[in-house]
Each structure stands twice: as structure tokens, then as C-alpha cells.
Amino acid sequence: MMNEKMLDAINEQIKWELYSSYLYLSMSAWYNSIGLRGFANWERIQAMEERDHALKFYDYVLSRGGIVELQVIDAPPSSWESPEKAFEFQYAHEQSVTAKINSLVEIAQEERDHATYNMLQWFVDEQVEEEDNAHAILEQLKAVSDETGKGLLFMIDKDLAARVYHPPVAPAE
Ligand code: FEO
């Protein structure tokens, strides 16, 4: 059983993961509306991965005998000035999620909750990847705005169209 402070913080994180899912689904819709189907595909899969992150916390709370308390999720923005601005937004958002995961780790340490501390290490590693992915695409988009414009943008779009969803592997019984 987790203590109340840890449980409240994880319930809050479930909200942030679901907000992330909502945000990337909104980005996906926006990319679709401007004809960038590859970007739309990439963000739709990102939205599914964020829902999986929320469920990972959700299942963890249940496994510790805690009560999941779902919270109100704010509406995300629905449009951006450009793909570059959208990825700046995404990169900043992922950095804020990293800060939230780090706070959870600190609470687990303070509360001497070793099981939660261990579970959180998956998210610590995942955030390195999440920030790196957003940053790498942002850097490509910056190059597009400096140099050859649309041709390169459509090349990136083609690349992002190739992303496929990998469902999380269920833990062995
Ligand atoms: Fe679940 Fe992108 O952080």
C-alpha cells in the first residue's frame, strides 16, 4: 500500500499522461488539416503511447491496492503557427513531463517507497527518449526553414509516415 502523498502524486501524473495523449491527438488532427499525413500518423501513435503511459501508472496504483482517482483534463491547443512551432511546443512539454517524473522520484525517495522508486526508473529512461525524439524532429524542421523549404518538409513527412505502434509487452504471469 502506498502512502497518501505518493498516491496523490501518481494520480496527478495519470492526468498529465492523459493530457499528453490529448495534446498529441490534437496535433495529429491539426497536421491532417494542413495535409501533413506523416506528421499526423506520428502524433497519433505518440498519443497512443501516452495513453499507455497513463495505463502503466493506473495498473501500478491498482497493483499496490490504491484508488485511482481520475481528474479533469484541460483542453489542449488546436492549432500551431507551423510544424516547427508545434515541435517547439512538444519539446517544451516533454521537458515539463520529465520534471514531473523527477518530482515523483524525489517523493518516492523521501517516503522510502522503494517499489515506486523502481517502477519510476522505466519512466526516467523513457523521458530521455521522449525528449530526444521531439528534439531530433525539431532540429530537422529548423533546417527546413533555413534552407530548401517544402521539399525537405515532405521528406520528413514521408519518414514520419513510417512510424508504427508497438503495444506494450504484458508482464509475464
Ligand atoms: Fe509520457 Fe511523453 O511522456
Side-chain angles (χ1 to χ4, degrees), residues 20-48 76-80 86-87 90 157:
S20 301
S21 183
Y22 225 34
L23 172 64
Y24 299 144
L25 199 57
S26 181
M27 284 184 175
S28 180
W30 176 69
Y31 283 122
N32 248 304
S33 77
I34 60 169
L36 292 172
R37 298 279 176 94
F39 281 80
N41 170 65
W42 198 90
E43 292 296 357
R44 188 180 173 116
I45 291 171
Q46 191 60 31
M48 290 157 83
S78 55
S79 66
W80 289 264
F87 264 93
Q90 181 156 352
D157 192 58

mmCIF file of all heavy atoms in Angstrom, residues 20-48 76-80 86-87 90 157:
data_model
loop_
_atom_site.group_PDB
_atom_site.id
_atom_site.type_symbol
_atom_site.label_atom_id
_atom_site.label_comp_id
_atom_site.label_asym_id
_atom_site.label_seq_id
_atom_site.Cartn_x
_atom_site.Cartn_y
_atom_site.Cartn_z
ATOM 1 N N SER A 20 -1.146 14.600 -22.153
ATOM 2 C CA SER A 20 -0.164 14.462 -23.242
ATOM 3 C C SER A 20 -0.807 13.725 -24.418
ATOM 4 O O SER A 20 -0.629 14.108 -25.580
ATOM 5 C CB SER A 20 1.069 13.686 -22.767
ATOM 6 O OG SER A 20 1.676 14.332 -21.678
ATOM 7 N N SER A 21 -1.567 12.691 -24.109
ATOM 8 C CA SER A 21 -2.244 11.938 -25.161
ATOM 9 C C SER A 21 -3.220 12.843 -25.921
ATOM 10 O O SER A 21 -3.265 12.853 -27.156
ATOM 11 C CB SER A 21 -2.990 10.751 -24.535
ATOM 12 O OG SER A 21 -3.588 9.973 -25.539
ATOM 13 N N TYR A 22 -3.948 13.635 -25.164
ATOM 14 C CA TYR A 22 -4.930 14.573 -25.729
ATOM 15 C C TYR A 22 -4.226 15.615 -26.614
ATOM 16 O O TYR A 22 -4.690 15.948 -27.702
ATOM 17 C CB TYR A 22 -5.568 15.264 -24.529
ATOM 18 C CG TYR A 22 -7.062 15.402 -24.528
ATOM 19 C CD1 TYR A 22 -7.892 14.434 -25.078
ATOM 20 C CD2 TYR A 22 -7.645 16.522 -23.927
ATOM 21 C CE1 TYR A 22 -9.268 14.599 -25.028
ATOM 22 C CE2 TYR A 22 -9.012 16.676 -23.875
ATOM 23 C CZ TYR A 22 -9.821 15.716 -24.433
ATOM 24 O OH TYR A 22 -11.170 15.881 -24.381
ATOM 25 N N LEU A 23 -3.100 16.111 -26.094
ATOM 26 C CA LEU A 23 -2.331 17.133 -26.824
ATOM 27 C C LEU A 23 -1.843 16.585 -28.165
ATOM 28 O O LEU A 23 -1.981 17.234 -29.208
ATOM 29 C CB LEU A 23 -1.131 17.567 -25.959
ATOM 30 C CG LEU A 23 -0.099 18.482 -26.613
ATOM 31 C CD1 LEU A 23 -0.715 19.830 -26.993
ATOM 32 C CD2 LEU A 23 1.093 18.719 -25.665
ATOM 33 N N TYR A 24 -1.304 15.372 -28.153
ATOM 34 C CA TYR A 24 -0.731 14.832 -29.392
ATOM 35 C C TYR A 24 -1.828 14.400 -30.366
ATOM 36 O O TYR A 24 -1.633 14.462 -31.577
ATOM 37 C CB TYR A 24 0.261 13.705 -29.077
ATOM 38 C CG TYR A 24 1.420 14.212 -28.229
ATOM 39 C CD1 TYR A 24 2.016 13.443 -27.236
ATOM 40 C CD2 TYR A 24 1.917 15.509 -28.419
ATOM 41 C CE1 TYR A 24 3.063 13.936 -26.463
ATOM 42 C CE2 TYR A 24 2.964 16.009 -27.642
ATOM 43 C CZ TYR A 24 3.528 15.219 -26.664
ATOM 44 O OH TYR A 24 4.557 15.715 -25.898
ATOM 45 N N LEU A 25 -2.974 14.014 -29.830
ATOM 46 C CA LEU A 25 -4.106 13.721 -30.712
ATOM 47 C C LEU A 25 -4.572 15.014 -31.398
ATOM 48 O O LEU A 25 -4.929 15.019 -32.583
ATOM 49 C CB LEU A 25 -5.229 13.089 -29.892
ATOM 50 C CG LEU A 25 -6.287 12.311 -30.666
ATOM 51 C CD1 LEU A 25 -5.682 11.179 -31.496
ATOM 52 C CD2 LEU A 25 -7.328 11.740 -29.691
ATOM 53 N N SER A 26 -4.540 16.099 -30.640
ATOM 54 C CA SER A 26 -4.916 17.401 -31.201
ATOM 55 C C SER A 26 -3.897 17.810 -32.278
ATOM 56 O O SER A 26 -4.274 18.314 -33.353
ATOM 57 C CB SER A 26 -4.959 18.442 -30.069
ATOM 58 O OG SER A 26 -5.327 19.689 -30.569
ATOM 59 N N MET A 27 -2.624 17.583 -32.001
ATOM 60 C CA MET A 27 -1.604 17.890 -33.009
ATOM 61 C C MET A 27 -1.816 17.038 -34.260
ATOM 62 O O MET A 27 -1.672 17.522 -35.384
ATOM 63 C CB MET A 27 -0.192 17.638 -32.450
ATOM 64 C CG MET A 27 0.273 18.708 -31.491
ATOM 65 S SD MET A 27 1.991 18.390 -30.974
ATOM 66 C CE MET A 27 2.294 19.874 -29.993
ATOM 67 N N SER A 28 -2.172 15.771 -34.047
ATOM 68 C CA SER A 28 -2.401 14.880 -35.182
ATOM 69 C C SER A 28 -3.520 15.425 -36.067
ATOM 70 O O SER A 28 -3.405 15.468 -37.303
ATOM 71 C CB SER A 28 -2.736 13.472 -34.674
ATOM 72 O OG SER A 28 -2.955 12.618 -35.761
ATOM 73 N N ALA A 29 -4.597 15.866 -35.435
ATOM 74 C CA ALA A 29 -5.732 16.414 -36.198
ATOM 75 C C ALA A 29 -5.293 17.656 -36.969
ATOM 76 O O ALA A 29 -5.654 17.848 -38.141
ATOM 77 C CB ALA A 29 -6.878 16.754 -35.249
ATOM 78 N N TRP A 30 -4.492 18.499 -36.311
ATOM 79 C CA TRP A 30 -4.024 19.731 -36.968
ATOM 80 C C TRP A 30 -3.130 19.390 -38.176
ATOM 81 O O TRP A 30 -3.296 19.956 -39.260
ATOM 82 C CB TRP A 30 -3.286 20.620 -35.956
ATOM 83 C CG TRP A 30 -2.708 21.839 -36.595
ATOM 84 C CD1 TRP A 30 -3.400 22.898 -37.112
ATOM 85 C CD2 TRP A 30 -1.326 22.111 -36.824
ATOM 86 N NE1 TRP A 30 -2.527 23.824 -37.649
ATOM 87 C CE2 TRP A 30 -1.247 23.356 -37.483
ATOM 88 C CE3 TRP A 30 -0.134 21.423 -36.530
ATOM 89 C CZ2 TRP A 30 -0.031 23.931 -37.857
ATOM 90 C CZ3 TRP A 30 1.065 22.003 -36.899
ATOM 91 C CH2 TRP A 30 1.113 23.236 -37.556
ATOM 92 N N TYR A 31 -2.199 18.448 -38.004
ATOM 93 C CA TYR A 31 -1.328 18.068 -39.141
ATOM 94 C C TYR A 31 -2.173 17.527 -40.296
ATOM 95 O O TYR A 31 -1.908 17.817 -41.454
ATOM 96 C CB TYR A 31 -0.295 17.025 -38.710
ATOM 97 C CG TYR A 31 0.861 17.590 -37.915
ATOM 98 C CD1 TYR A 31 1.150 17.121 -36.638
ATOM 99 C CD2 TYR A 31 1.683 18.588 -38.445
ATOM 100 C CE1 TYR A 31 2.217 17.635 -35.901
ATOM 101 C CE2 TYR A 31 2.747 19.114 -37.713
ATOM 102 C CZ TYR A 31 3.005 18.624 -36.446
ATOM 103 O OH TYR A 31 4.053 19.135 -35.726
ATOM 104 N N ASN A 32 -3.186 16.739 -39.948
ATOM 105 C CA ASN A 32 -4.083 16.242 -41.002
ATOM 106 C C ASN A 32 -4.712 17.401 -41.761
ATOM 107 O O ASN A 32 -4.802 17.378 -42.987
ATOM 108 C CB ASN A 32 -5.192 15.391 -40.374
ATOM 109 C CG ASN A 32 -5.051 13.947 -40.767
ATOM 110 O OD1 ASN A 32 -5.022 13.621 -41.953
ATOM 111 N ND2 ASN A 32 -4.938 13.077 -39.776
ATOM 112 N N SER A 33 -5.127 18.418 -41.007
ATOM 113 C CA SER A 33 -5.841 19.544 -41.625
ATOM 114 C C SER A 33 -4.934 20.358 -42.547
ATOM 115 O O SER A 33 -5.434 21.099 -43.391
ATOM 116 C CB SER A 33 -6.461 20.440 -40.545
ATOM 117 O OG SER A 33 -5.456 21.249 -39.955
ATOM 118 N N ILE A 34 -3.604 20.263 -42.368
ATOM 119 C CA ILE A 34 -2.701 21.017 -43.266
ATOM 120 C C ILE A 34 -2.005 20.081 -44.263
ATOM 121 O O ILE A 34 -1.018 20.451 -44.899
ATOM 122 C CB ILE A 34 -1.673 21.877 -42.480
ATOM 123 C CG1 ILE A 34 -0.772 21.023 -41.581
ATOM 124 C CG2 ILE A 34 -2.391 22.957 -41.675
ATOM 125 C CD1 ILE A 34 0.423 21.799 -40.999
ATOM 126 N N GLY A 35 -2.495 18.857 -44.365
ATOM 127 C CA GLY A 35 -2.015 17.946 -45.413
ATOM 128 C C GLY A 35 -0.730 17.201 -45.093
ATOM 129 O O GLY A 35 -0.125 16.607 -45.984
ATOM 130 N N LEU A 36 -0.294 17.237 -43.822
ATOM 131 C CA LEU A 36 0.930 16.501 -43.460
ATOM 132 C C LEU A 36 0.535 15.189 -42.777
ATOM 133 O O LEU A 36 0.528 15.071 -41.545
ATOM 134 C CB LEU A 36 1.830 17.370 -42.563
ATOM 135 C CG LEU A 36 2.454 18.584 -43.254
ATOM 136 C CD1 LEU A 36 3.170 19.478 -42.242
ATOM 137 C CD2 LEU A 36 3.437 18.148 -44.360
ATOM 138 N N ARG A 37 0.203 14.212 -43.593
ATOM 139 C CA ARG A 37 -0.330 12.944 -43.068
ATOM 140 C C ARG A 37 0.719 12.135 -42.295
ATOM 141 O O ARG A 37 0.375 11.386 -41.390
ATOM 142 C CB ARG A 37 -0.868 12.089 -44.216
ATOM 143 C CG ARG A 37 -2.026 12.722 -44.971
ATOM 144 C CD ARG A 37 -3.327 12.501 -44.215
ATOM 145 N NE ARG A 37 -4.440 13.160 -44.854
ATOM 146 C CZ ARG A 37 -5.261 12.590 -45.731
ATOM 147 N NH1 ARG A 37 -5.077 11.330 -46.078
ATOM 148 N NH2 ARG A 37 -6.261 13.266 -46.256
ATOM 149 N N GLY A 38 1.985 12.284 -42.671
ATOM 150 C CA GLY A 38 3.048 11.565 -41.961
ATOM 151 C C GLY A 38 3.205 12.102 -40.541
ATOM 152 O O GLY A 38 3.298 11.334 -39.574
ATOM 153 N N PHE A 39 3.224 13.420 -40.412
ATOM 154 C CA PHE A 39 3.285 14.034 -39.079
ATOM 155 C C PHE A 39 2.049 13.607 -38.274
ATOM 156 O O PHE A 39 2.140 13.314 -37.071
ATOM 157 C CB PHE A 39 3.299 15.566 -39.177
ATOM 158 C CG PHE A 39 4.635 16.153 -39.534
ATOM 159 C CD1 PHE A 39 5.075 16.179 -40.851
ATOM 160 C CD2 PHE A 39 5.459 16.707 -38.557
ATOM 161 C CE1 PHE A 39 6.304 16.733 -41.193
ATOM 162 C CE2 PHE A 39 6.694 17.259 -38.884
ATOM 163 C CZ PHE A 39 7.114 17.272 -40.203
ATOM 164 N N ALA A 40 0.892 13.589 -38.948
ATOM 165 C CA ALA A 40 -0.354 13.208 -38.267
ATOM 166 C C ALA A 40 -0.257 11.777 -37.744
ATOM 167 O O ALA A 40 -0.656 11.481 -36.609
ATOM 168 C CB ALA A 40 -1.538 13.352 -39.221
ATOM 169 N N ASN A 41 0.302 10.893 -38.562
ATOM 170 C CA ASN A 41 0.477 9.497 -38.144
ATOM 171 C C ASN A 41 1.382 9.410 -36.920
ATOM 172 O O ASN A 41 1.089 8.720 -35.947
ATOM 173 C CB ASN A 41 1.083 8.693 -39.300
ATOM 174 C CG ASN A 41 1.509 7.300 -38.869
ATOM 175 O OD1 ASN A 41 0.686 6.480 -38.499
ATOM 176 N ND2 ASN A 41 2.814 7.029 -38.887
ATOM 177 N N TRP A 42 2.486 10.135 -36.985
ATOM 178 C CA TRP A 42 3.485 10.092 -35.899
ATOM 179 C C TRP A 42 2.856 10.549 -34.589
ATOM 180 O O TRP A 42 3.033 9.915 -33.541
ATOM 181 C CB TRP A 42 4.677 10.972 -36.282
ATOM 182 C CG TRP A 42 5.918 10.692 -35.501
ATOM 183 C CD1 TRP A 42 6.908 9.812 -35.816
ATOM 184 C CD2 TRP A 42 6.306 11.323 -34.262
ATOM 185 N NE1 TRP A 42 7.896 9.848 -34.847
ATOM 186 C CE2 TRP A 42 7.549 10.767 -33.889
ATOM 187 C CE3 TRP A 42 5.741 12.289 -33.443
ATOM 188 C CZ2 TRP A 42 8.228 11.149 -32.737
ATOM 189 C CZ3 TRP A 42 6.422 12.667 -32.279
ATOM 190 C CH2 TRP A 42 7.640 12.091 -31.938
ATOM 191 N N GLU A 43 2.093 11.626 -34.648
ATOM 192 C CA GLU A 43 1.486 12.159 -33.415
ATOM 193 C C GLU A 43 0.346 11.272 -32.914
ATOM 194 O O GLU A 43 0.124 11.163 -31.708
ATOM 195 C CB GLU A 43 0.972 13.588 -33.628
ATOM 196 C CG GLU A 43 2.069 14.616 -33.854
ATOM 197 C CD GLU A 43 3.009 14.824 -32.658
ATOM 198 O OE1 GLU A 43 2.822 14.217 -31.583
ATOM 199 O OE2 GLU A 43 3.972 15.600 -32.819
ATOM 200 N N ARG A 44 -0.357 10.651 -33.838
ATOM 201 C CA ARG A 44 -1.433 9.738 -33.404
ATOM 202 C C ARG A 44 -0.837 8.566 -32.626
ATOM 203 O O ARG A 44 -1.368 8.139 -31.590
ATOM 204 C CB ARG A 44 -2.201 9.247 -34.632
ATOM 205 C CG ARG A 44 -3.442 8.461 -34.293
ATOM 206 C CD ARG A 44 -4.142 8.026 -35.559
ATOM 207 N NE ARG A 44 -5.223 7.138 -35.282
ATOM 208 C CZ ARG A 44 -6.509 7.411 -35.533
ATOM 209 N NH1 ARG A 44 -6.845 8.531 -36.095
ATOM 210 N NH2 ARG A 44 -7.436 6.537 -35.243
ATOM 211 N N ILE A 45 0.297 8.057 -33.110
ATOM 212 C CA ILE A 45 0.965 6.964 -32.392
ATOM 213 C C ILE A 45 1.523 7.479 -31.062
ATOM 214 O O ILE A 45 1.445 6.802 -30.037
ATOM 215 C CB ILE A 45 2.053 6.325 -33.280
ATOM 216 C CG1 ILE A 45 1.360 5.580 -34.427
ATOM 217 C CG2 ILE A 45 2.939 5.385 -32.475
ATOM 218 C CD1 ILE A 45 2.281 5.084 -35.509
ATOM 219 N N GLN A 46 2.040 8.711 -31.080
ATOM 220 C CA GLN A 46 2.537 9.292 -29.829
ATOM 221 C C GLN A 46 1.388 9.378 -28.803
ATOM 222 O O GLN A 46 1.578 9.090 -27.620
ATOM 223 C CB GLN A 46 3.126 10.686 -30.113
ATOM 224 C CG GLN A 46 3.899 11.277 -28.947
ATOM 225 C CD GLN A 46 5.087 10.442 -28.522
ATOM 226 O OE1 GLN A 46 5.718 9.765 -29.345
ATOM 227 N NE2 GLN A 46 5.391 10.469 -27.241
ATOM 228 N N ALA A 47 0.205 9.764 -29.285
ATOM 229 C CA ALA A 47 -0.966 9.860 -28.393
ATOM 230 C C ALA A 47 -1.276 8.487 -27.784
ATOM 231 O O ALA A 47 -1.607 8.372 -26.595
ATOM 232 C CB ALA A 47 -2.175 10.383 -29.165
ATOM 233 N N MET A 48 -1.161 7.419 -28.600
ATOM 234 C CA MET A 48 -1.424 6.068 -28.085
ATOM 235 C C MET A 48 -0.378 5.677 -27.042
ATOM 236 O O MET A 48 -0.688 5.050 -26.018
ATOM 237 C CB MET A 48 -1.444 5.063 -29.245
ATOM 238 C CG MET A 48 -2.667 5.243 -30.139
ATOM 239 S SD MET A 48 -2.421 4.579 -31.797
ATOM 240 C CE MET A 48 -2.784 2.868 -31.554
ATOM 241 N N PRO A 76 -6.432 20.822 -24.916
ATOM 242 C CA PRO A 76 -5.143 21.264 -25.460
ATOM 243 C C PRO A 76 -5.366 22.323 -26.542
ATOM 244 O O PRO A 76 -6.495 22.490 -27.018
ATOM 245 C CB PRO A 76 -4.585 19.983 -26.093
ATOM 246 C CG PRO A 76 -5.792 19.195 -26.467
ATOM 247 C CD PRO A 76 -6.883 19.552 -25.485
ATOM 248 N N PRO A 77 -4.302 23.022 -26.971
ATOM 249 C CA PRO A 77 -4.451 23.913 -28.127
ATOM 250 C C PRO A 77 -4.873 23.100 -29.347
ATOM 251 O O PRO A 77 -4.667 21.878 -29.391
ATOM 252 C CB PRO A 77 -3.036 24.474 -28.343
ATOM 253 C CG PRO A 77 -2.265 24.154 -27.111
ATOM 254 C CD PRO A 77 -2.928 22.994 -26.452
ATOM 255 N N SER A 78 -5.460 23.763 -30.341
ATOM 256 C CA SER A 78 -5.907 23.002 -31.517
ATOM 257 C C SER A 78 -5.192 23.411 -32.801
ATOM 258 O O SER A 78 -5.430 22.819 -33.857
ATOM 259 C CB SER A 78 -7.415 23.126 -31.689
ATOM 260 O OG SER A 78 -7.758 24.485 -31.744
ATOM 261 N N SER A 79 -4.335 24.420 -32.710
ATOM 262 C CA SER A 79 -3.546 24.755 -33.909
ATOM 263 C C SER A 79 -2.250 25.440 -33.495
ATOM 264 O O SER A 79 -2.144 25.966 -32.375
ATOM 265 C CB SER A 79 -4.346 25.639 -34.863
ATOM 266 O OG SER A 79 -4.578 26.889 -34.267
ATOM 267 N N TRP A 80 -1.303 25.411 -34.411
ATOM 268 C CA TRP A 80 0.014 25.999 -34.176
ATOM 269 C C TRP A 80 0.390 26.803 -35.417
ATOM 270 O O TRP A 80 -0.186 26.590 -36.501
ATOM 271 C CB TRP A 80 1.041 24.884 -33.903
ATOM 272 C CG TRP A 80 0.824 24.253 -32.560
ATOM 273 C CD1 TRP A 80 1.461 24.569 -31.395
ATOM 274 C CD2 TRP A 80 -0.131 23.222 -32.224
ATOM 275 N NE1 TRP A 80 0.955 23.801 -30.363
ATOM 276 C CE2 TRP A 80 -0.012 22.976 -30.833
ATOM 277 C CE3 TRP A 80 -1.078 22.491 -32.943
ATOM 278 C CZ2 TRP A 80 -0.788 22.028 -30.159
ATOM 279 C CZ3 TRP A 80 -1.869 21.551 -32.278
ATOM 280 C CH2 TRP A 80 -1.717 21.324 -30.912
ATOM 281 N N ALA A 86 5.030 23.787 -33.528
ATOM 282 C CA ALA A 86 4.363 22.663 -32.850
ATOM 283 C C ALA A 86 5.414 21.784 -32.160
ATOM 284 O O ALA A 86 5.217 21.329 -31.029
ATOM 285 C CB ALA A 86 3.536 21.854 -33.846
ATOM 286 N N PHE A 87 6.534 21.546 -32.841
ATOM 287 C CA PHE A 87 7.570 20.705 -32.217
ATOM 288 C C PHE A 87 8.313 21.437 -31.103
ATOM 289 O O PHE A 87 8.775 20.807 -30.148
ATOM 290 C CB PHE A 87 8.510 20.086 -33.260
ATOM 291 C CG PHE A 87 8.044 18.693 -33.606
ATOM 292 C CD1 PHE A 87 7.193 18.485 -34.678
ATOM 293 C CD2 PHE A 87 8.393 17.607 -32.829
ATOM 294 C CE1 PHE A 87 6.701 17.220 -34.966
ATOM 295 C CE2 PHE A 87 7.916 16.336 -33.096
ATOM 296 C CZ PHE A 87 7.068 16.138 -34.165
ATOM 297 N N GLN A 90 6.018 20.798 -28.328
ATOM 298 C CA GLN A 90 6.111 19.404 -27.888
ATOM 299 C C GLN A 90 7.381 19.163 -27.071
ATOM 300 O O GLN A 90 7.345 18.487 -26.040
ATOM 301 C CB GLN A 90 6.081 18.478 -29.107
ATOM 302 C CG GLN A 90 6.161 17.006 -28.728
ATOM 303 C CD GLN A 90 5.564 16.097 -29.773
ATOM 304 O OE1 GLN A 90 4.947 16.563 -30.736
ATOM 305 N NE2 GLN A 90 5.743 14.804 -29.598
ATOM 306 N N ASP A 157 7.977 14.338 -43.672
ATOM 307 C CA ASP A 157 6.615 13.799 -43.560
ATOM 308 C C ASP A 157 6.578 12.323 -43.958
ATOM 309 O O ASP A 157 5.951 11.494 -43.304
ATOM 310 C CB ASP A 157 5.672 14.631 -44.445
ATOM 311 C CG ASP A 157 4.212 14.307 -44.154
ATOM 312 O OD1 ASP A 157 3.792 14.467 -42.990
ATOM 313 O OD2 ASP A 157 3.509 13.881 -45.078
#
